Amino acid sequence: MGANLSDDPGLGSAADLKTEIERLRLRVAMVEAERDEYAQQNAELFVLQQVFSTINSTLEINDILSMVLRGVVEALKFKRVILFDVIEGGAVVRRLESDLNGNVVHSLDPREYRQGSTLHDVAHGDLQLAYGGADDADAPLAEGRGSYCVAPLVARDVVRGMLYADDPPGEEITENQLRVMLDFASQAAIAVENARLYEETRRLLEETQRLAHTDSLTGIPNRRALNEMLDRELHTSERYDTPFAFIILDLDDLKKINDSGGHSLGDLALKRFAQVLKKSARKGDIIARYAGDEFVLIMAQSDRSQTVQGVERIMASLRRNGLASSIGVAMFPSDGIDGQTLFFAADEALYKAKQAGKNQYRFYERNLKAQGLPAPGELGAQDA
């Protein structure tokens, strides 16, 4: 009789061995796939960590957003990433996007997207995450490239923007890619909000400082600002050995203006006075309201003759605007080398101009005779 091969114990063992080998091969393939997946996740997390570290080191919003877009391209291998702004009322604006080389550029058309798409659902908070295919009826872009996903940038429960990505490395967007996309959007929202708060704080601080140095009525620098600007002018003029004129101007008859037309008319006269000074002054000159009806003009890099020309130009402009002013002038360094001395010298000259009948100017007298210069009455008297 012939042998029955099925009864051969050796062949049975070979079949079992083949099955075991196949099982091991499948197991190895699964382990390798898991290894590759973990390696990809580690690479994504590494890029994510680098991007988060970098964006938290700057407070420039455009820099933050550009880093985020480049990070999504590098970590998730999407060939296109777009940043949409969500402005007041839920309006959507296409802002930044990656080009074919992975560089971040400004979008050419801010309105290049489909109305009524999933973008609007995400922008209004109706969806926490949107994804699908380019052929979907509610896909965000008419020229979509394969699968897409949209993640919101949420700060203080408000959607500030959205990250859109399409053209993934595989046919479908994986669950891990969606998770990392949400991580990018979340961290970007925090960084952008911090930057926005910083900008707002800085703006408010600058505005507060501006208001603290600005006269509320006339809009020109006030006494505090004058003291700071005068210190700088003294330092510069001393360093380069250049003279300047310190001038006090008093709006004549402000009390009469107030008595005849009320304080509103007086305020209008002060405003007009300040405007005339601004228009008549040269670039680089300093104008400030010192107190009440007193204003200060510092004519930088001016000797006596240049100061005379400037003062007479101002007085002519005041007359054309129906205003008059008594003016006292002190010169640096001959009449003083510090702010207090110059102010007292100019104030004394102003007093002499008022005594002489107002609507004229006087230079401080102390050094005139010693220098052989004309007496105050011979230089600067103006007809009322």
Side-chain angles (χ1 to χ4, degrees):
M1 294 181 60
N4 188 340
L5 297 179
S6 62
D7 293 334
D8 188 336
L11 291 178
S13 298
D16 291 342
L17 182 60
K18 184 177 181 181
T19 301
E20 181 64 16
I21 291 173
E22 187 63 27
R23 187 183 68 80
L24 289 174
R25 284 176 178 171
L26 290 174
R27 179 59 181 161
V28 169
M30 291 176 61
V31 170
E32 289 178 343
E34 290 178 357
R35 180 200 62 194
D36 293 342
E37 183 178 353
Y38 287 140
Q40 177 62 28
Q41 291 180 8
N42 286 336
E44 292 168 356
L45 290 174
F46 178 72
V47 175
L48 194 64
Q49 184 180 18
Q50 284 187 315
V51 172
F52 293 168
S53 175
T54 306
I55 65 177
N56 288 321
S57 67
T58 181
L59 288 169
E60 294 294 331
I61 292 179
N62 281 332
D63 290 345
I64 292 171
L65 296 175
S66 295
M67 292 174 194
V68 170
L69 266 63
R70 286 194 294 268
V72 173
V73 171
E74 183 177 349
L76 302 180
K77 309 303 179 185
F78 286 101
K79 294 182 181 177
R80 178 170 60 174
V81 183
I82 303 174
L83 186 283
F84 289 91
D85 280 338
V86 179
I87 57 180
E88 189 175 353
V92 177
V93 176
R94 188 166 170 167
R95 179 173 180 175
L96 299 172
E97 54 194 274
S98 60
D99 62 16
L100 295 176
N101 297 317
N103 300 315
V104 177
V105 297
H106 285 276
S107 300
L108 296 177
D109 185 355
R111 302 292 177 182
E112 190 177 351
Y113 57 86
R114 282 176 173 169
Q115 299 295 326
S117 68
T118 53
L119 278 180
H120 294 85
D121 295 330
V122 175
H124 288 87
D126 298 328
L127 286 177
Q128 302 302 314
L129 176 69
Y131 56 92
D135 297 331
D136 294 349
D138 58 357
L141 303 182
E143 81 292 0
R145 305 172 188 170
S147 300
Y148 76 88
C149 61
V150 182
L153 278 63
V154 182
R156 298 189 178 187
D157 298 325
V158 177
V159 179
R160 305 287 186 184
M162 293 174 289
L163 275 178
Y164 169 94
D166 66 6
D167 204 353
E171 291 185 5
E172 300 294 335
I173 297 176
T174 66
E175 182 178 343
N176 185 65
Q177 286 173 321
L178 292 175
R179 179 183 59 77
V180 176
M181 187 77 167
L182 286 171
D183 287 340
F184 269 108
S186 175
Q187 291 299 317
I190 295 172
V192 168
E193 181 67 8
N194 289 341
R196 189 186 68 82
L197 291 174
Y198 171 78
E199 287 294 329
E200 181 67 13
T201 301
R202 185 173 67 175
R203 186 191 68 79
L204 290 174
L205 180 61
E206 290 175 352
E207 180 66 12
T208 300
Q209 292 176 337
R210 186 190 68 80
L211 291 175
H213 289 77
T214 302
D215 177 59
S216 58
L217 176 64
T218 62
I220 65 174
N222 59 16
R223 182 173 178 174
R224 178 185 296 181
L226 171 65
N227 291 335
E228 294 181 5
M229 292 186 290
L230 176 58
D231 285 343
R232 290 197 294 269
E233 187 61 35
L234 285 166
H235 176 76
T236 301
S237 296
E238 183 177 1
R239 180 178 180 181
Y240 295 103
D241 193 24
T242 56
F244 70 83
F246 185 92
I247 304 168
I248 301 179
L249 305 96
D250 191 296
L251 176 60
D252 287 340
D253 301 322
L254 178 61
K255 186 177 184 304
K256 289 183 180 179
I257 296 174
N258 285 330
D259 291 343
S260 63
H263 286 284
S264 59
L265 186 61
D267 288 347
L268 182 62
L270 288 169
K271 291 179 183 179
R272 187 182 302 162
F273 191 85
Q275 291 302 314
V276 170
L277 291 182
K278 287 177 65 176
K279 291 180 179 179
S280 303
R282 307 165 308 170
K283 184 177 181 180
D285 290 347
I286 298 171
I287 302 167
R289 185 184 180 191
Y290 186 78
D293 56 358
E294 285 190 346
F295 292 75
V296 169
L297 168 64
I298 298 175
M299 295 182 62
Q301 300 182 22
S302 293
D303 56 21
R304 185 183 177 91
S305 62
Q306 292 170 323
T307 301
V308 169
Q309 294 176 10
V311 169
E312 291 184 346
R313 182 177 65 251
I314 289 171
M315 295 193 74
S317 182
L318 287 170
R319 285 196 300 271
R320 288 194 297 270
N321 284 271
L323 300 171
S325 175
S326 300
I327 300 174
V329 185
M331 298 298 300
F332 172 90
S334 59
D335 298 332
I337 58 173
D338 59 64
Q340 185 176 24
T341 305
L342 286 169
F343 182 87
F344 285 141
D347 193 52
E348 183 176 325
L350 172 65
Y351 177 73
K352 295 294 180 63
K354 288 184 175 181
Q355 278 188 323
K358 299 182 181 180
N359 193 28
Q360 52 191 293
Y361 65 92
R362 290 289 187 273
F363 279 77
Y364 181 58
E365 295 181 25
R366 183 179 62 183
N367 292 328
L368 295 186
K369 292 182 180 179
Q371 297 175 8
L373 296 171
E378 297 173 330
L379 178 64
Q382 302 291 322
D383 295 331

